[in-house]
Amino acid sequence: MQLDEDILARRRRDLGEDHPDTLAAASHLAVSLRADGEYQAARELGEDTLARRRGVLGEDHHDTGASATFAIFLRTPQPLLKAISWHSRRRRAG
């Protein structure tokens, strides 16, 4: 995750907050934060990235859609995600 944080900081500095490459780095960091269990930080960064992508890229851009999908995932309560995951694994097992 440290690498993702470093990349985001450099892209913000070199390219600006709203450059598409900066937004991609922010999205990657949000995913890393979520994977590390830092749900609130991931949600905040994910929501910010979605808002910026909407403004910069527009609603119909595929990166905006990816951010919107991730934002929905981040808003889904953890117990529900675990239940869905368990059910999905159980169905695949037969």
Side-chain angles (χ1 to χ4, degrees):
M1 187 167 56
Q2 182 62 42
L3 180 60
D4 290 331
E5 290 172 346
D6 291 343
I7 291 170
L8 178 57
R10 289 177 190 200
R11 288 195 176 164
R12 282 178 170 162
R13 182 190 67 226
D14 297 342
L15 303 174
E17 290 283 335
D18 292 333
H19 190 281
D21 291 344
T22 303
L23 298 174
S27 182
H28 287 269
L29 177 55
V31 170
S32 293
L33 289 166
R34 167 61 178 78
D36 281 356
E38 296 185 37
Y39 305 116
Q40 186 61 33
R43 184 175 177 174
E44 290 171 7
L45 185 56
E47 294 284 348
D48 180 68
T49 303
L50 173 57
R52 290 177 186 278
R53 279 181 164 169
R54 282 180 169 150
V56 173
L57 303 173
E59 287 289 334
D60 295 332
H61 193 278
H62 63 274
D63 287 342
T64 304
S67 285
T69 301
F70 189 59
I72 292 168
F73 174 71
L74 290 171
R75 291 181 200 131
T76 305
Q78 294 305 308
L80 179 57
L81 288 175
K82 287 180 182 179
I84 291 169
S85 176
W86 176 84
H87 182 70
S88 177
R89 283 192 311 268
R90 188 170 174 229
R91 288 188 68 178
R92 282 193 305 259

